[in-house]
Amino acid sequence: IQGTADQIVPPSQSVELVRRLTAAQDQVKLVMVQGASHGLAPAGSAEITPDLATVGSEVASFFFTQLGQPGR
């Protein structure tokens, strides 16, 4: 998860990490959050996209896919 307006951790750093993990054949998914700064706070007056609820669903879906559903 990376905010496109993050000035602490540049988005290019996340892209590079994904590239290296993919090259190592690790499972990875990068969600770029438009208009979000570090910590996914809105960088301006516009809403972030995708919203935090969607980001949370994406994270849960990734873990469920990789680790399986809880209790199964």
Side-chain angles (χ1 to χ4, degrees):
I1 303 167
Q2 173 71 50
T4 60
D6 191 335
Q7 294 185 8
I8 296 173
V9 178
S12 61
Q13 189 171 349
S14 291
V15 171
E16 177 65 14
L17 177 60
V18 167
R19 187 190 68 75
R20 290 181 184 207
L21 290 170
T22 301
Q25 298 182 351
D26 287 324
Q27 297 297 314
V28 63
K29 179 176 182 177
L30 176 59
V31 176
M32 297 296 283
V33 182
Q34 300 298 315
S37 61
H38 196 73
L40 302 181
S45 60
E47 293 183 19
I48 62 172
T49 306
D51 61 27
L52 292 179
T54 302
V55 170
S57 293
E58 292 279 343
V59 170
S61 177
F62 179 82
F63 282 115
F64 290 156
T65 300
Q66 299 306 311
L67 304 174
Q69 295 285 337
R72 293 187 186 191

